[in-house]
Amino acid sequence: MNEQVQRPPAEVRYAGELARLREDDTDDRPPGWALSLRAARRFVLGDEKLGIGRKFVGDPSLIDRSLVTLATDRGLMLVGEPGTAKSLLSELLAAAVSGTSTLTVQGGASTTEDQIKYSWNYALLVAEGPSTRSLVAAPLLRGMAEGKVVRFEEITRCPLEVQDCLLSPLSDRVLAIPELTGPEAMVFARQGFTVIATANTRDRGVNEMSAALKRRFNFETVFPIADFDTELLLVEAEAAALLKRSGVGAPPRRDVLEVLVTAFRELREGRTARGDATDRLSGVMSTAEAVSVAHAVGLRGWFLRGEPGDAADLVSCLAGTAAKDNPEDLAKLRRYLERKRHGDQWKALHEARHLLPG
């Protein structure tokens, strides 16, 4: 069944690695944790001796600080630009700490407190009245009752009053259910419960967090990958895995990926590798977007022509990434390609610029 799932959770994808880490883990663990801090760190950053692959590319000290925060009574807030693997990191940390990463709330303008805390089976509620049988636990209630990590994705996309429903669970470690009476009216957090939230610092439609809620989180910023070679290797590995899962029989071409990653970095930073100023796109030119484009390039080349994607495929796929927020970005991309003529792949990209729409 897992082979038919498009993207199994981290605890399923890396079940073998988690099992090896648990068997080898002799360090002290914080109460309620599935792994010790050092074992959880190895799960995220890799350990060649145990055959554990690296899953997150970033500053190791960020992982150390995040794990220490999760071992306290404070929540962890991962902030940064879109596409910097904040959600991936929160998933990996939750899988390492709790053994599950699926107690997740996806924030948005339509998110309600019911989707975060609990709701009711209204047929049972009408027939029997409020009871634990008619109560439908949402991720926050389950995480508190079971002592698990709760993930809150894009928390700043929720209205302020919805965000603030976390105040009591994070400070008093208790969730009140006023419809019930007696001991069942209060759910006290078990050891191991905490919250990992993520928030973008760039997108539109973001709501400012209240000062009271901010005080209950430790903030960690996830930065874009600084090194070109590291970003290239990551894009190549992730794109190859996606293409294999999509039934593509050829890996992505390294020369095409080099051009792709270079273009993304230069359009993201507004400066070429030689230090010359260039247009900076208003859209998100993140590593995650680069992986998506590399995946699309490979699919386009393989299923349309039976070969790996080339520079013309790259131009066509870039258009959909560049023109999301501002129509002017297509013109900026066209001007960028017009100036790129040195090297075989760049020349091919320059010649294929007519494939851009408009």
Side-chain angles (χ1 to χ4, degrees):
M1 288 296 296
N2 288 334
E3 294 179 357
Q4 300 174 12
V5 176
Q6 288 188 335
R7 190 183 182 277
E11 59 271 20
V12 175
R13 298 199 307 274
Y14 306 113
E17 294 186 5
L18 288 169
R20 287 198 298 275
L21 285 167
R22 283 192 293 269
E23 292 173 1
D24 191 67
D25 191 7
T26 58
D27 294 335
D28 292 335
R29 306 176 186 180
W33 280 41
L35 295 173
S36 66
L37 265 73
R38 285 195 286 188
R41 186 183 193 273
R42 288 195 290 269
F43 174 67
V44 178
L45 296 177
D47 186 329
E48 292 184 4
K49 293 181 180 179
L50 289 177
I52 308 298
R54 184 170 187 170
K55 303 168 189 65
F56 176 77
V57 178
D59 185 2
S61 65
L62 167 64
I63 308 303
D64 295 339
R65 294 193 303 270
S66 299
L67 289 169
V68 170
T69 294
L70 294 176
T72 69
D73 287 338
R74 296 176 65 81
L76 173 64
M77 176 70 70
L78 300 174
V79 300
E81 292 193 359
T84 49
K86 300 182 297 297
S87 296
L88 172 64
L89 180 55
S90 74
E91 180 186 10
L92 294 173
L93 291 172
V97 171
S98 296
T100 179
S101 62
T102 55
L103 295 178
T104 305
V105 177
Q106 179 60 56
S110 61
T111 302
T112 63
E113 287 193 30
D114 290 355
Q115 296 169 313
I116 300 171
K117 299 192 298 185
Y118 62 89
S119 59
W120 299 95
N121 180 324
Y122 288 103
L124 285 174
L125 184 65
V126 171
E128 303 177 358
S131 67
T132 54
R133 248 170 55 87
S134 57
L135 183 70
V136 179
L140 183 62
L141 190 150
R142 286 189 55 196
M144 296 179 70
E146 299 172 12
K148 304 292 186 182
V149 172
V150 177
R151 298 169 55 211
F152 202 133
E153 295 293 322
E154 305 285 4
I155 188 172
T156 51
R157 293 202 174 281
C158 296
L160 184 62
E161 59 273 16
V162 174
Q163 298 177 29
D164 280 351
C165 75
L166 294 177
L167 288 173
S168 182
L170 285 175
S171 57
D172 302 327
R173 322 305 278 186
V174 63
L175 177 63
I177 307 176
E179 295 89 347
L180 300 180
T181 58
E184 296 172 343
M186 304 289 281
V187 176
F188 294 92
R190 297 173 64 90
Q191 295 282 15
F193 163 73
T194 190
V195 175
I196 304 176
T198 65
N200 284 330
T201 57
R202 178 173 174 177
D203 285 359
R204 293 191 295 266
V206 169
N207 300 294
E208 181 66 22
M209 294 176 63
S210 68
L213 187 57
K214 285 182 178 179
R215 288 195 296 270
R216 287 156 175 81
F217 282 98
N218 280 356
F219 281 64
E220 294 290 347
T221 302
V222 184
F223 293 100
I225 299 173
D227 181 64
F228 173 83
D229 292 333
T230 302
E231 186 171 13
L232 176 61
L233 288 173
L234 177 62
V235 171
E236 184 175 33
E238 292 296 320
L242 289 172
L243 289 170
K244 183 179 180 181
R245 195 181 307 158
S246 299
V248 175
R253 288 173 51 174
R254 184 66 178 267
D255 55 348
V256 173
L257 292 183
E258 288 177 354
V259 170
L260 169 63
V261 174
T262 300
F264 263 69
R265 293 174 69 87
E266 293 182 350
L267 291 168
R268 180 170 68 220
E269 298 168 5
R271 189 167 298 277
T272 68
R274 297 186 301 176
D276 301 327
T278 188
D279 290 321
R280 182 176 180 177
L281 302 192
S282 61
V284 178
M285 306 299 288
S286 64
T287 304
E289 288 282 357
V291 171
S292 178
V293 171
H295 184 205
V297 168
L299 287 174
R300 182 183 174 94
W302 184 257
F303 288 117
L304 293 182
R305 301 187 307 277
E307 60 187 30
D310 57 19
D313 296 313
L314 179 53
V315 172
S316 297
C317 296
L318 269 175
T321 297
K324 289 181 179 178
D325 295 326
N326 190 342
E328 290 296 321
D329 282 345
L330 270 180
K332 292 178 181 179
L333 179 59
R334 186 176 286 105
R335 288 196 297 270
Y336 173 79
L337 296 179
E338 286 173 353
R339 292 194 293 266
K340 290 289 188 177
R341 305 182 185 184
H342 303 291
D344 292 341
Q345 286 303 324
W346 284 112
K347 184 177 180 181
L349 219 66
H350 172 81
E351 293 174 350
R353 67 188 187 280
H354 68 277
L355 295 174
L356 291 173

mmCIF file with all atom_site columns, all heavy atoms in Angstrom, residues 305-327:
data_model
loop_
_atom_site.group_PDB
_atom_site.id
_atom_site.type_symbol
_atom_site.label_atom_id
_atom_site.label_alt_id
_atom_site.label_comp_id
_atom_site.label_asym_id
_atom_site.label_entity_id
_atom_site.label_seq_id
_atom_site.pdbx_PDB_ins_code
_atom_site.Cartn_x
_atom_site.Cartn_y
_atom_site.Cartn_z
_atom_site.occupancy
_atom_site.B_iso_or_equiv
_atom_site.pdbx_formal_charge
_atom_site.auth_seq_id
_atom_site.auth_comp_id
_atom_site.auth_asym_id
_atom_site.auth_atom_id
_atom_site.pdbx_PDB_model_num
ATOM 1   N N   . ARG A 1 305 ? 8.969  12.731 -25.465 1.00 0.00 ? 305 ARG A N   1
ATOM 2   C CA  . ARG A 1 305 ? 9.961  12.357 -26.483 1.00 0.00 ? 305 ARG A CA  1
ATOM 3   C C   . ARG A 1 305 ? 10.766 11.121 -26.124 1.00 0.00 ? 305 ARG A C   1
ATOM 4   O O   . ARG A 1 305 ? 11.587 10.665 -26.913 1.00 0.00 ? 305 ARG A O   1
ATOM 5   C CB  . ARG A 1 305 ? 10.930 13.523 -26.716 1.00 0.00 ? 305 ARG A CB  1
ATOM 6   C CG  . ARG A 1 305 ? 10.263 14.812 -27.174 1.00 0.00 ? 305 ARG A CG  1
ATOM 7   C CD  . ARG A 1 305 ? 11.318 15.853 -27.551 1.00 0.00 ? 305 ARG A CD  1
ATOM 8   N NE  . ARG A 1 305 ? 12.288 16.042 -26.480 1.00 0.00 ? 305 ARG A NE  1
ATOM 9   C CZ  . ARG A 1 305 ? 12.087 16.845 -25.429 1.00 0.00 ? 305 ARG A CZ  1
ATOM 10  N NH1 . ARG A 1 305 ? 10.946 17.509 -25.315 1.00 0.00 ? 305 ARG A NH1 1
ATOM 11  N NH2 . ARG A 1 305 ? 13.011 16.978 -24.502 1.00 0.00 ? 305 ARG A NH2 1
ATOM 12  N N   . GLY A 1 306 ? 10.598 10.594 -24.913 1.00 0.00 ? 306 GLY A N   1
ATOM 13  C CA  . GLY A 1 306 ? 11.349 9.409  -24.518 1.00 0.00 ? 306 GLY A CA  1
ATOM 14  C C   . GLY A 1 306 ? 12.798 9.682  -24.202 1.00 0.00 ? 306 GLY A C   1
ATOM 15  O O   . GLY A 1 306 ? 13.651 8.814  -24.377 1.00 0.00 ? 306 GLY A O   1
ATOM 16  N N   . GLU A 1 307 ? 13.122 10.881 -23.722 1.00 0.00 ? 307 GLU A N   1
ATOM 17  C CA  . GLU A 1 307 ? 14.504 11.243 -23.392 1.00 0.00 ? 307 GLU A CA  1
ATOM 18  C C   . GLU A 1 307 ? 14.501 12.211 -22.216 1.00 0.00 ? 307 GLU A C   1
ATOM 19  O O   . GLU A 1 307 ? 13.466 12.793 -21.885 1.00 0.00 ? 307 GLU A O   1
ATOM 20  C CB  . GLU A 1 307 ? 15.178 11.887 -24.602 1.00 0.00 ? 307 GLU A CB  1
ATOM 21  C CG  . GLU A 1 307 ? 14.478 13.164 -25.071 1.00 0.00 ? 307 GLU A CG  1
ATOM 22  C CD  . GLU A 1 307 ? 15.051 13.686 -26.371 1.00 0.00 ? 307 GLU A CD  1
ATOM 23  O OE1 . GLU A 1 307 ? 15.528 12.863 -27.169 1.00 0.00 ? 307 GLU A OE1 1
ATOM 24  O OE2 . GLU A 1 307 ? 15.000 14.917 -26.575 1.00 0.00 ? 307 GLU A OE2 1
ATOM 25  N N   . PRO A 1 308 ? 15.659 12.397 -21.557 1.00 0.00 ? 308 PRO A N   1
ATOM 26  C CA  . PRO A 1 308 ? 15.708 13.375 -20.461 1.00 0.00 ? 308 PRO A CA  1
ATOM 27  C C   . PRO A 1 308 ? 15.385 14.779 -20.967 1.00 0.00 ? 308 PRO A C   1
ATOM 28  O O   . PRO A 1 308 ? 15.603 15.095 -22.138 1.00 0.00 ? 308 PRO A O   1
ATOM 29  C CB  . PRO A 1 308 ? 17.158 13.284 -19.962 1.00 0.00 ? 308 PRO A CB  1
ATOM 30  C CG  . PRO A 1 308 ? 17.657 11.962 -20.446 1.00 0.00 ? 308 PRO A CG  1
ATOM 31  C CD  . PRO A 1 308 ? 16.947 11.688 -21.732 1.00 0.00 ? 308 PRO A CD  1
ATOM 32  N N   . GLY A 1 309 ? 14.865 15.608 -20.118 1.00 0.00 ? 309 GLY A N   1
ATOM 33  C CA  . GLY A 1 309 ? 14.515 16.963 -20.510 1.00 0.00 ? 309 GLY A CA  1
ATOM 34  C C   . GLY A 1 309 ? 15.728 17.783 -20.903 1.00 0.00 ? 309 GLY A C   1
ATOM 35  O O   . GLY A 1 309 ? 16.845 17.549 -20.422 1.00 0.00 ? 309 GLY A O   1
ATOM 36  N N   . ASP A 1 310 ? 15.527 18.754 -21.796 1.00 0.00 ? 310 ASP A N   1
ATOM 37  C CA  . ASP A 1 310 ? 16.617 19.593 -22.270 1.00 0.00 ? 310 ASP A CA  1
ATOM 38  C C   . ASP A 1 310 ? 16.333 21.061 -21.952 1.00 0.00 ? 310 ASP A C   1
ATOM 39  O O   . ASP A 1 310 ? 15.405 21.393 -21.206 1.00 0.00 ? 310 ASP A O   1
ATOM 40  C CB  . ASP A 1 310 ? 16.842 19.385 -23.773 1.00 0.00 ? 310 ASP A CB  1
ATOM 41  C CG  . ASP A 1 310 ? 15.594 19.663 -24.600 1.00 0.00 ? 310 ASP A CG  1
ATOM 42  O OD1 . ASP A 1 310 ? 14.678 20.345 -24.090 1.00 0.00 ? 310 ASP A OD1 1
ATOM 43  O OD2 . ASP A 1 310 ? 15.526 19.196 -25.759 1.00 0.00 ? 310 ASP A OD2 1
ATOM 44  N N   . ALA A 1 311 ? 17.146 21.948 -22.546 1.00 0.00 ? 311 ALA A N   1
ATOM 45  C CA  . ALA A 1 311 ? 17.026 23.377 -22.251 1.00 0.00 ? 311 ALA A CA  1
ATOM 46  C C   . ALA A 1 311 ? 15.676 23.945 -22.675 1.00 0.00 ? 311 ALA A C   1
ATOM 47  O O   . ALA A 1 311 ? 15.113 24.808 -22.000 1.00 0.00 ? 311 ALA A O   1
ATOM 48  C CB  . ALA A 1 311 ? 18.161 24.138 -22.941 1.00 0.00 ? 311 ALA A CB  1
ATOM 49  N N   . ALA A 1 312 ? 15.135 23.464 -23.799 1.00 0.00 ? 312 ALA A N   1
ATOM 50  C CA  . ALA A 1 312 ? 13.826 23.963 -24.245 1.00 0.00 ? 312 ALA A CA  1
ATOM 51  C C   . ALA A 1 312 ? 12.738 23.594 -23.242 1.00 0.00 ? 312 ALA A C   1
ATOM 52  O O   . ALA A 1 312 ? 11.839 24.400 -22.951 1.00 0.00 ? 312 ALA A O   1
ATOM 53  C CB  . ALA A 1 312 ? 13.498 23.395 -25.619 1.00 0.00 ? 312 ALA A CB  1
ATOM 54  N N   . ASP A 1 313 ? 12.808 22.383 -22.689 1.00 0.00 ? 313 ASP A N   1
ATOM 55  C CA  . ASP A 1 313 ? 11.849 21.980 -21.659 1.00 0.00 ? 313 ASP A CA  1
ATOM 56  C C   . ASP A 1 313 ? 11.995 22.872 -20.423 1.00 0.00 ? 313 ASP A C   1
ATOM 57  O O   . ASP A 1 313 ? 11.009 23.243 -19.795 1.00 0.00 ? 313 ASP A O   1
ATOM 58  C CB  . ASP A 1 313 ? 12.071 20.522 -21.261 1.00 0.00 ? 313 ASP A CB  1
ATOM 59  C CG  . ASP A 1 313 ? 11.817 19.559 -22.406 1.00 0.00 ? 313 ASP A CG  1
ATOM 60  O OD1 . ASP A 1 313 ? 10.786 19.709 -23.081 1.00 0.00 ? 313 ASP A OD1 1
ATOM 61  O OD2 . ASP A 1 313 ? 12.659 18.674 -22.624 1.00 0.00 ? 313 ASP A OD2 1
ATOM 62  N N   . LEU A 1 314 ? 13.237 23.208 -20.109 1.00 0.00 ? 314 LEU A N   1
ATOM 63  C CA  . LEU A 1 314 ? 13.496 24.045 -18.942 1.00 0.00 ? 314 LEU A CA  1
ATOM 64  C C   . LEU A 1 314 ? 12.857 25.428 -19.097 1.00 0.00 ? 314 LEU A C   1
ATOM 65  O O   . LEU A 1 314 ? 12.245 25.946 -18.164 1.00 0.00 ? 314 LEU A O   1
ATOM 66  C CB  . LEU A 1 314 ? 15.003 24.173 -18.718 1.00 0.00 ? 314 LEU A CB  1
ATOM 67  C CG  . LEU A 1 314 ? 15.469 25.041 -17.548 1.00 0.00 ? 314 LEU A CG  1
ATOM 68  C CD1 . LEU A 1 314 ? 14.802 24.604 -16.255 1.00 0.00 ? 314 LEU A CD1 1
ATOM 69  C CD2 . LEU A 1 314 ? 16.987 24.974 -17.416 1.00 0.00 ? 314 LEU A CD2 1
ATOM 70  N N   . VAL A 1 315 ? 12.971 26.022 -20.281 1.00 0.00 ? 315 VAL A N   1
ATOM 71  C CA  . VAL A 1 315 ? 12.365 27.331 -20.514 1.00 0.00 ? 315 VAL A CA  1
ATOM 72  C C   . VAL A 1 315 ? 10.853 27.251 -20.351 1.00 0.00 ? 315 VAL A C   1
ATOM 73  O O   . VAL A 1 315 ? 10.229 28.101 -19.712 1.00 0.00 ? 315 VAL A O   1
ATOM 74  C CB  . VAL A 1 315 ? 12.742 27.860 -21.907 1.00 0.00 ? 315 VAL A CB  1
ATOM 75  C CG1 . VAL A 1 315 ? 11.951 29.119 -22.236 1.00 0.00 ? 315 VAL A CG1 1
ATOM 76  C CG2 . VAL A 1 315 ? 14.228 28.153 -21.985 1.00 0.00 ? 315 VAL A CG2 1
ATOM 77  N N   . SER A 1 316 ? 10.243 26.228 -20.930 1.00 0.00 ? 316 SER A N   1
ATOM 78  C CA  . SER A 1 316 ? 8.792  26.082 -20.843 1.00 0.00 ? 316 SER A CA  1
ATOM 79  C C   . SER A 1 316 ? 8.323  25.910 -19.402 1.00 0.00 ? 316 SER A C   1
ATOM 80  O O   . SER A 1 316 ? 7.300  26.475 -18.993 1.00 0.00 ? 316 SER A O   1
ATOM 81  C CB  . SER A 1 316 ? 8.336  24.886 -21.680 1.00 0.00 ? 316 SER A CB  1
ATOM 82  O OG  . SER A 1 316 ? 8.622  25.083 -23.049 1.00 0.00 ? 316 SER A OG  1
ATOM 83  N N   . CYS A 1 317 ? 9.074  25.145 -18.619 1.00 0.00 ? 317 CYS A N   1
ATOM 84  C CA  . CYS A 1 317 ? 8.684  24.895 -17.234 1.00 0.00 ? 317 CYS A CA  1
ATOM 85  C C   . CYS A 1 317 ? 8.985  26.086 -16.333 1.00 0.00 ? 317 CYS A C   1
ATOM 86  O O   . CYS A 1 317 ? 8.297  26.299 -15.327 1.00 0.00 ? 317 CYS A O   1
ATOM 87  C CB  . CYS A 1 317 ? 9.388  23.644 -16.709 1.00 0.00 ? 317 CYS A CB  1
ATOM 88  S SG  . CYS A 1 317 ? 8.914  22.118 -17.567 1.00 0.00 ? 317 CYS A SG  1
ATOM 89  N N   . LEU A 1 318 ? 10.003 26.865 -16.686 1.00 0.00 ? 318 LEU A N   1
ATOM 90  C CA  . LEU A 1 318 ? 10.327 28.052 -15.897 1.00 0.00 ? 318 LEU A CA  1
ATOM 91  C C   . LEU A 1 318 ? 9.207  29.082 -15.946 1.00 0.00 ? 318 LEU A C   1
ATOM 92  O O   . LEU A 1 318 ? 8.983  29.813 -14.984 1.00 0.00 ? 318 LEU A O   1
ATOM 93  C CB  . LEU A 1 318 ? 11.623 28.687 -16.403 1.00 0.00 ? 318 LEU A CB  1
ATOM 94  C CG  . LEU A 1 318 ? 12.936 28.233 -15.764 1.00 0.00 ? 318 LEU A CG  1
ATOM 95  C CD1 . LEU A 1 318 ? 14.111 28.875 -16.480 1.00 0.00 ? 318 LEU A CD1 1
ATOM 96  C CD2 . LEU A 1 318 ? 12.956 28.573 -14.278 1.00 0.00 ? 318 LEU A CD2 1
ATOM 97  N N   . ALA A 1 319 ? 8.516  29.142 -17.081 1.00 0.00 ? 319 ALA A N   1
ATOM 98  C CA  . ALA A 1 319 ? 7.473  30.155 -17.242 1.00 0.00 ? 319 ALA A CA  1
ATOM 99  C C   . ALA A 1 319 ? 6.400  30.028 -16.173 1.00 0.00 ? 319 ALA A C   1
ATOM 100 O O   . ALA A 1 319 ? 5.918  31.026 -15.632 1.00 0.00 ? 319 ALA A O   1
ATOM 101 C CB  . ALA A 1 319 ? 6.864  30.042 -18.636 1.00 0.00 ? 319 ALA A CB  1
ATOM 102 N N   . GLY A 1 320 ? 6.001  28.807 -15.860 1.00 0.00 ? 320 GLY A N   1
ATOM 103 C CA  . GLY A 1 320 ? 4.962  28.605 -14.862 1.00 0.00 ? 320 GLY A CA  1
ATOM 104 C C   . GLY A 1 320 ? 5.394  28.971 -13.457 1.00 0.00 ? 320 GLY A C   1
ATOM 105 O O   . GLY A 1 320 ? 4.564  29.301 -12.608 1.00 0.00 ? 320 GLY A O   1
ATOM 106 N N   . THR A 1 321 ? 6.699  28.937 -13.196 1.00 0.00 ? 321 THR A N   1
ATOM 107 C CA  . THR A 1 321 ? 7.217  29.331 -11.889 1.00 0.00 ? 321 THR A CA  1
ATOM 108 C C   . THR A 1 321 ? 7.368  30.842 -11.787 1.00 0.00 ? 321 THR A C   1
ATOM 109 O O   . THR A 1 321 ? 7.082  31.444 -10.757 1.00 0.00 ? 321 THR A O   1
ATOM 110 C CB  . THR A 1 321 ? 8.584  28.656 -11.641 1.00 0.00 ? 321 THR A CB  1
ATOM 111 O OG1 . THR A 1 321 ? 8.397  27.238 -11.604 1.00 0.00 ? 321 THR A OG1 1
ATOM 112 C CG2 . THR A 1 321 ? 9.200  29.125 -10.336 1.00 0.00 ? 321 THR A CG2 1
ATOM 113 N N   . ALA A 1 322 ? 7.801  31.473 -12.894 1.00 0.00 ? 322 ALA A N   1
ATOM 114 C CA  . ALA A 1 322 ? 8.120  32.902 -12.850 1.00 0.00 ? 322 ALA A CA  1
ATOM 115 C C   . ALA A 1 322 ? 6.891  33.791 -12.856 1.00 0.00 ? 322 ALA A C   1
ATOM 116 O O   . ALA A 1 322 ? 6.928  34.906 -12.328 1.00 0.00 ? 322 ALA A O   1
ATOM 117 C CB  . ALA A 1 322 ? 9.017  33.260 -14.032 1.00 0.00 ? 322 ALA A CB  1
ATOM 118 N N   . ALA A 1 323 ? 5.797  33.342 -13.439 1.00 0.00 ? 323 ALA A N   1
ATOM 119 C CA  . ALA A 1 323 ? 4.652  34.231 -13.677 1.00 0.00 ? 323 ALA A CA  1
ATOM 120 C C   . ALA A 1 323 ? 3.525  34.053 -12.677 1.00 0.00 ? 323 ALA A C   1
ATOM 121 O O   . ALA A 1 323 ? 2.370  34.290 -12.992 1.00 0.00 ? 323 ALA A O   1
ATOM 122 C CB  . ALA A 1 323 ? 4.124  34.000 -15.087 1.00 0.00 ? 323 ALA A CB  1
ATOM 123 N N   . LYS A 1 324 ? 3.827  33.663 -11.456 1.00 0.00 ? 324 LYS A N   1
ATOM 124 C CA  . LYS A 1 324 ? 2.764  33.401 -10.486 1.00 0.00 ? 324 LYS A CA  1
ATOM 125 C C   . LYS A 1 324 ? 2.203  34.674 -9.868  1.00 0.00 ? 324 LYS A C   1
ATOM 126 O O   . LYS A 1 324 ? 0.996  34.800 -9.665  1.00 0.00 ? 324 LYS A O   1
ATOM 127 C CB  . LYS A 1 324 ? 3.293  32.496 -9.367  1.00 0.00 ? 324 LYS A CB  1
ATOM 128 C CG  . LYS A 1 324 ? 3.544  31.063 -9.816  1.00 0.00 ? 324 LYS A CG  1
ATOM 129 C CD  . LYS A 1 324 ? 4.047  30.231 -8.666  1.00 0.00 ? 324 LYS A CD  1
ATOM 130 C CE  . LYS A 1 324 ? 4.277  28.789 -9.096  1.00 0.00 ? 324 LYS A CE  1
ATOM 131 N NZ  . LYS A 1 324 ? 4.812  27.976 -7.989  1.00 0.00 ? 324 LYS A NZ  1
ATOM 132 N N   . ASP A 1 325 ? 3.076  35.610 -9.523  1.00 0.00 ? 325 ASP A N   1
ATOM 133 C CA  . ASP A 1 325 ? 2.643  36.767 -8.753  1.00 0.00 ? 325 ASP A CA  1
ATOM 134 C C   . ASP A 1 325 ? 2.543  38.050 -9.566  1.00 0.00 ? 325 ASP A C   1
ATOM 135 O O   . ASP A 1 325 ? 1.678  38.878 -9.317  1.00 0.00 ? 325 ASP A O   1
ATOM 136 C CB  . ASP A 1 325 ? 3.613  37.002 -7.578  1.00 0.00 ? 325 ASP A CB  1
ATOM 137 C CG  . ASP A 1 325 ? 3.588  35.874 -6.573  1.00 0.00 ? 325 ASP A CG  1
ATOM 138 O OD1 . ASP A 1 325 ? 2.506  35.304 -6.385  1.00 0.00 ? 325 ASP A OD1 1
ATOM 139 O OD2 . ASP A 1 325 ? 4.639  35.568 -5.994  1.00 0.00 ? 325 ASP A OD2 1
ATOM 140 N N   . ASN A 1 326 ? 3.439  38.212 -10.531 1.00 0.00 ? 326 ASN A N   1
ATOM 141 C CA  . ASN A 1 326 ? 3.537  39.490 -11.226 1.00 0.00 ? 326 ASN A CA  1
ATOM 142 C C   . ASN A 1 326 ? 3.762  39.255 -12.710 1.00 0.00 ? 326 ASN A C   1
ATOM 143 O O   . ASN A 1 326 ? 4.741  38.597 -13.084 1.00 0.00 ? 326 ASN A O   1
ATOM 144 C CB  . ASN A 1 326 ? 4.693  40.299 -10.629 1.00 0.00 ? 326 ASN A CB  1
ATOM 145 C CG  . ASN A 1 326 ? 4.722  41.726 -11.129 1.00 0.00 ? 326 ASN A CG  1
ATOM 146 O OD1 . ASN A 1 326 ? 4.116  42.058 -12.151 1.00 0.00 ? 326 ASN A OD1 1
ATOM 147 N ND2 . ASN A 1 326 ? 5.445  42.578 -10.415 1.00 0.00 ? 326 ASN A ND2 1
ATOM 148 N N   . PRO A 1 327 ? 2.899  39.767 -13.583 1.00 0.00 ? 327 PRO A N   1
ATOM 149 C CA  . PRO A 1 327 ? 3.101  39.579 -15.026 1.00 0.00 ? 327 PRO A CA  1
ATOM 150 C C   . PRO A 1 327 ? 4.437  40.126 -15.508 1.00 0.00 ? 327 PRO A C   1
ATOM 151 O O   . PRO A 1 327 ? 4.980  39.654 -16.513 1.00 0.00 ? 327 PRO A O   1
ATOM 152 C CB  . PRO A 1 327 ? 1.926  40.349 -15.655 1.00 0.00 ? 327 PRO A CB  1
ATOM 153 C CG  . PRO A 1 327 ? 0.897  40.431 -14.582 1.00 0.00 ? 327 PRO A CG  1
ATOM 154 C CD  . PRO A 1 327 ? 1.654  40.502 -13.302 1.00 0.00 ? 327 PRO A CD  1
#
